[in-house]
Amino acid sequence: MPGMAVQGYLVLSVVLFVIGLAGVLVRRSPLVMLMSIELMWGAAGLLFLTFARLWAGMEGHIFSFLIIVVGAAEAAIGLALIVLIFRTRDAADVDDVRALRG
Amino acid sequence: MENGYWVLALIPGLPLVGAAANAAFRRRWGKPALAGTASAMVAMAFVATLASLVRYLGLESHDALSLTLWSWGVPGVGLGLLGDAVSLWFALVVTGVGLLIHIYAAAYMSDDPDYGRFFAELNYFIFAMSLLVLADGFLGMLVGWANVGLASYLLIGFWNERPAAAAASRKAFWVNTVGEVGLILAMAILWNQFGSLRFADVLPQAGLAQPEILNWVALLLLVGAVAKSAQLPLHVWLPDAMQGPTPVSALIHAATMVTAGVYLAVRAFPIFEAAPWGLTAVAAVGAASALFGAIVAVGQNDIKRVLAFSTMSQVGYMILGAGVGAYSAALFHFMTHAFFKAALFLGAGIVIHHFHGEQDIRRMGGLGKQLPFAYWTFLLGTLALIGLPPLSGFFSKDEIVVELLVTGHTGLWAVAVAAAALTAFYMTRLFCLVFTGDAPAKPGAKHRGQKGTTGHAAGGHDSGHGVPALESVPVLILTVLSVGAGVLWIPGITAVPEHFLGRVIEQYAGAGHAAAMDTGLAKTVTVAALMGVALLAMALAVRLYGPARQGAGPQPRWQSVLTNGLYLDDLYRAVIVRPLLASAAYVGGVIDPHVVDGAVNGVARLAGTLAVGVRRLQAGYVRRYALILMGGTALIVLYFVML
Amino acid sequence: MPDISDLMQIAPLVALAAVALLVIVVDLMVPARMARGTILVTAAGGLLVVGWYLLDLWSQVVPLPEFAARALAPFGGALALDGLSFAASALILAAAFFAVLLSTTEQARDMSGYVSLMLLAALGMMVLAGTSDLMVMFVALEVLSLSLYVLVAFRRGDAKAREGAFKYFLLGSVAAGLLLYGFALLYGVTGATKLAGIAAFARQGTIGPLYHAGFALVVIGFGFKLALAPFHTWAPDAYQGAPAPVTAFMAIGTKAAAFVALARFVWAAVPSDPVLAAAYLTPIGVLAGVSMLVGSLGALFQTNLKRLLAYSGVAHAGYLFLPLMSLTPEAFGQSLFYLFAYLCMAGGAFAVLVARSVEAGGDAGAAADAAELSGWRGLYQRRPGLALATALFFLAMAGMPPTAGFTGKLFLITGGIEARAWWLLAAMVASTGISAYVYLRVAGSVFRSPEAEAAAVAEMGPVPGAHLSGSHPAGAVGIVAGTAPSPLAWERVAVGAVLLLAVAGILLLGLFPNLLLPGLQGLLPVR
């Protein structure tokens, strides 16, 4: 596998990861934040797949499957929590949730 | 080494039992039973100490009693008791003076609703203090060390419904924690270096470690000693600690606990001697504290605060003695100081009761006629503290100061003499203001503190009916001891402390110091100097604050010339007294509260500001938390990528 | 292929998973009125069985001659059953046992789900502490995290619990993303997901920026679970929102598992080049030092005990790293000893908290009130035993001899001196000084008479956010008046058992640390 191609995937993965990070920081909608987090996980999965090709081993593939499965469970719990908190509110804004502080 | 001498375990053990009994039955037992149990336990501990002493005297010169309680499975680490000259010397005073103060407190605290708690805590203190001095290693000593700190915290804050007492107790505990951290660090280094924490393993080979490491150990040990013994700059808790009941001030904050630093300095002296800066640092701290405490005491008006700063100054003498190798003299001064300072504090308690909780000496006076007992005992205690022959304070202080000259520390000697002059001045001032002159119109008209304060402090004594026997007998015994203890060490005739304590101190080589001056000459010079300045200072103080201070009124001119001693008074006033009072006011009113205490408070305020900052960051916004998280991440990843 | 002996070696894990499922089955089969008790007894009994399996396995490993051989590596090395994982598993099981006993006071409607999740979280922690494969590490971390997210939010109708869980979840997922990215980078550089492979690379390979970055991200990911500052922000909020038994479990179990995983990872992944190794350890030390200071400062003015314990946990997590700076096998023993001490101190403190909320009526509101420090005044007058235990726990945290907190701290400092980590020691000194004040405030307040409250509040200084302490008077009145409904006696027995175990642990480990020390020596083969 040519090195150029690996670098391309690497760059794409970093870009996705940073988009995810930025999304968590700047967006106030809990759902978009959750999506941003999924983007970060996806970026890590992409990185694993890239390196799996590079090393021609199975570990990276297995790891990316694990990320998908665990990510799904994570999203389920996250959505449940978001519904629990925000169904009684008009707007889903995470900045409203600050009863605990100090 | 005689191992397995179980009587040693009784010395800390019985007071612990007493503490438990008092705590458990504090509601069910009557006051006589509570106080009786507590005092009996301390009395039996005193007897056990005497028994151990007799047994110890029967041993070979370098032998000691010991008792291993348990080990940690690691060689050299564990809890054990050691009965040698130094520890028994301390244990005698702790249990002996402790017993007298227990008896005194039985009467003094008789109106307090929390009688049982008081005696539980007092007994607990005796347990912790005797563990401190009897432990056979740094570990056990630290266990006692921390527990006396806790006992001191509990007893300073005994009247914890008073905010001042609660704050004072916390301050004391906090400062002591600083000292403990120093001790723990020193212990960790010692363990790292010697693989043991037992005195018997560490001290003989103290010189084998690297000098810079020993410097650190000595410095950290000194931090512990300074914090516990209220030396500069960690003395800030001691004046505040006077918020505790007066028997507590007498026992813990004058006679015993504050001398734990002296114990440490003497016990670990091979480390201090082997460390290049060790003894110098000890002596410097001691001299500075001796002078500082004496200066501040001149300007204090609260009877207990005068005595507190005086304690700081006197403990400074002991530390100073330990810093120039005069270990026996330091411990002798510890003993005599325990006698006369306890007597003075207990006397002060009687005075405070008499004035219904009034502690300001400017509002006292004329007590000599009303309470002759307090007058005479306080007078003898004062004279002993000033160090007039043939009272005990003369011999013990003299030994230290002479040693300064013999070892060639002329500068420290001058400081010690100056502090002795100040001591004579402020003690005479205190005595004159309280006992001479006219009685205030309405004793105790102005009650200090909140409601409940005076209820405790003033007790139910009728000021006209003298002093209860339970209070007067301990004071009497302590006064007799402060007068007579000097016979133990009359130069040229007896030298009990030197012979007795020498059994331990002479075990380690290097204890001898080159004499810079002939001992006889040094003695003559020192005695002359000490007596001279003390008498002058006393005379001055009597003139200023003595019976003639009030009611002088307008006088005929010729008479005023005479009473004023041909205007010599004015000269004294201008040349000596004004500068003295000004410096006392400056040190006591500016440096102590604003610089020393201010530094401590400043640290506290800094911590408070930072704490508020930490809580501000935690503002509840999850996105801010994420920002903090990612900021930290960015910094760390950046660091690693830059590698 | 895994053979039968591999299965025998994961017997504790299998048993724990089985118990976690069994409690759900039990809930279905037992009549509703007996369900709660049966579930809790099943869980507690199951944990004892798991502990027995663990000891049995340990006793097979310990007599093996060479220390390097004293480790089992079932499933092709996916799990690492060595001294470190055994000790950590014992710690986690003890924490889970405490948490289950304390949970007897919880009024959760879905008790089997609650207990099952708690046991699954314990399973995740045990696996996390006992694996040397990045894949298994990730899955174990998520098993414990997902269970805890749900557990924090378990109180129905409690807005604060939900909020705490949401924050924990959101930040935890971000941190997991960072951790995953770090794993991916390490895999990319080394081609291995097993720590052995990474360690081999760290000895011989050419180490570049990608490896550095991967290491950094993994440290951050575990640092988050350990609540090292500045990755601690979730901890106070999540601790406050969660039910007290869950908080206790999180504080102790998660800390132990994440610390062991991080230590194992650092042990393997730090390069052998001494200069580079020092450069790798420096930021970890900085994190630890900052945690000590932030933790003790954050606790300084707290009026809510759960938040106070959260911040104090941050500081304690920092202390654990003192000996680790030397990367010697002894260091792990010193840190683990402190974790055992922390188990007793924090477990006891949370048990007192639970006991107080039982006293106050046991519902969610009472539990929230019980965490407010102002309601603790005068506890000595009402419950002297409980007050003395409280004082013991907090004085132990302050490092008062002769308690476990003191011996633990002594070992940590000794380790720090061996590591020559002077500035970290300085940070610890500062932190100890500050937190002594914190713990003394708690230990002292139980002996204060309630009337002194007003004066004490006035002197406490600047307390930002007075809103934090708004809701207590009603609860305090209820306690004083004794109007609380009397809960079942066996709940009190269970909480009392935890208190007794914690007190015994603190005193035993303080007076006789040799009970535990030999078992904690040489937990890992030499690097």
Side-chain angles (χ1 to χ4, degrees), chain A residues 26 54 58-59 89:
Chain A
V26 302
L54 180 70
M58 284 313 289
E59 289 99 335
R89 293 171 197 249

Side-chain angles (χ1 to χ4, degrees), chain B residues 74-92:
Chain B
V74 186
V77 189
L79 280 181
L81 300 179
L82 169 73
D84 66 3
V86 173
S87 55
L88 289 175
W89 183 265
F90 267 87
L92 267 181

Side-chain angles (χ1 to χ4, degrees), chain C residues 125-222:
Chain C
M125 291 171 190
M126 278 174 69
V127 176
L128 181 61
T131 178
S132 56
D133 188 318
L134 299 185
M135 272 190 252
V136 185
M137 250 182 211
F138 169 65
V139 175
L141 189 75
E142 286 304 313
V143 168
L144 87 89
S145 303
L146 294 180
S147 312
L148 287 177
Y149 298 150
V150 181
L151 279 175
V152 171
F154 216 85
R155 280 229 173 95
R156 278 170 199 248
D158 186 344
K160 285 189 175 168
R162 288 176 199 156
E163 179 183 334
F166 177 66
K167 287 175 176 171
Y168 186 23
F169 163 78
L170 208 65
L171 297 170
S173 302
V174 171
L178 296 173
L179 182 80
L180 268 181
Y181 215 79
F183 280 173
L185 288 174
L186 288 176
Y187 170 62
V189 176
T190 64
T193 60
K194 289 202 169 46
L195 287 182
I198 294 173
F201 181 86
R203 305 289 169 276
Q204 286 121 24
T206 47
I207 292 169
L210 278 187
Y211 186 85
H212 296 327
F215 182 86
L217 286 172
V218 174
V219 167
I220 291 161
F222 284 124

Side-chain angles (χ1 to χ4, degrees), chain C residues 458-484:
Chain C
E459 67 173 295
M460 212 150 64
V463 182
H467 54 272
L468 288 172
S469 56
S471 59
H472 49 82
V477 169
I479 300 160
V480 174
T483 53

Side-chain angles (χ1 to χ4, degrees), chain A residues 13-14 17 33-34 37 41 47-48 51-52 55 60 62-63 70 74 78 84-85 97-102, chain C residues 135 142 146 160 162-163 166-167 169-170 173 176 178 181 184 187-189 191 237 240 302 307 311 467-468:
Chain A
S13 158
V14 170
F17 193 75
M33 290 174 87
L34 190 59
I37 289 170
W41 286 44
L47 204 58
F48 268 116
F51 288 132
W55 290 104
I62 301 169
F63 218 132
V70 174
E74 181 110 5
L84 259 181
I85 292 179
V97 185
R98 56 183 298 247
L100 299 172
R101 58 188 150 170
Chain C
M135 272 190 252
E142 286 304 313
L146 294 180
K160 285 189 175 168
R162 288 176 199 156
E163 179 183 334
F166 177 66
K167 287 175 176 171
F169 163 78
L170 208 65
S173 302
L178 296 173
Y181 215 79
Y187 170 62
V189 176
D237 293 5
Q240 190 186 349
Q302 284 301 337
R307 291 185 84 80
Y311 278 112
H467 54 272
L468 288 172

Side-chain angles (χ1 to χ4, degrees), chain B residues 72 170 615 618 620 625 639, chain C residues 167 233 237 279 433 459 468 514:
Chain B
W72 275 10
R170 277 207 298 272
R615 292 191 66 183
Q618 191 84 10
Y625 296 177
Y639 167 88
Chain C
K167 287 175 176 171
T233 42
D237 293 5
E459 67 173 295
L468 288 172
N514 46 325

Side-chain angles (χ1 to χ4, degrees), chain C residues 131-375:
Chain C
T131 178
S132 56
D133 188 318
L134 299 185
M135 272 190 252
V136 185
M137 250 182 211
F138 169 65
V139 175
L141 189 75
E142 286 304 313
V143 168
L144 87 89
S145 303
L146 294 180
S147 312
L148 287 177
Y149 298 150
V150 181
L151 279 175
V152 171
F154 216 85
R155 280 229 173 95
R156 278 170 199 248
D158 186 344
K160 285 189 175 168
R162 288 176 199 156
E163 179 183 334
F166 177 66
K167 287 175 176 171
Y168 186 23
F169 163 78
L170 208 65
L171 297 170
S173 302
V174 171
L178 296 173
L179 182 80
L180 268 181
Y181 215 79
F183 280 173
L185 288 174
L186 288 176
Y187 170 62
V189 176
T190 64
T193 60
K194 289 202 169 46
L195 287 182
I198 294 173
F201 181 86
R203 305 289 169 276
Q204 286 121 24
T206 47
I207 292 169
L210 278 187
Y211 186 85
H212 296 327
F215 182 86
L217 286 172
V218 174
V219 167
I220 291 161
F222 284 124
F224 176 87
K225 282 289 160 205
L226 262 171
L228 286 180
F231 314 119
H232 70 287
T233 42
W234 60 275
D237 293 5
Y239 278 31
Q240 190 186 349
V246 174
T247 314
F249 190 44
M250 278 162 74
I252 303 161
T254 312
K255 200 160 278 147
F259 177 77
V260 169
L262 178 56
R264 207 186 275 282
F265 171 77
V266 168
W267 180 262
V270 167
S272 50
D273 173 35
V275 178
L276 211 51
Y280 265 53
L281 288 175
T282 306
I284 298 179
V286 171
L287 282 182
V290 172
S291 303
M292 295 175 195
L293 296 175
V294 167
S296 45
L297 285 172
L300 196 53
F301 293 131
Q302 284 301 337
T303 55
N304 182 298
L305 205 69
K306 278 187 184 165
R307 291 185 84 80
L308 191 150
L309 285 168
Y311 278 112
S312 116
V314 173
H316 280 102
Y319 298 156
L320 290 175
F321 285 86
L322 260 177
L324 207 64
M325 293 293 107
S326 67
L327 275 191
T328 54
E330 292 78 35
F332 291 88
Q334 286 154 343
S335 297
L336 270 180
F337 185 90
Y338 197 73
L339 275 171
F340 272 99
Y342 186 70
L343 163 79
C344 300
M345 303 185 293
F350 281 109
V352 176
L353 196 63
V354 171
R356 287 266 296 113
S357 61
V358 169
E359 191 186 26
D363 59 342
D369 288 338
E372 285 299 332
L373 203 53
S374 50

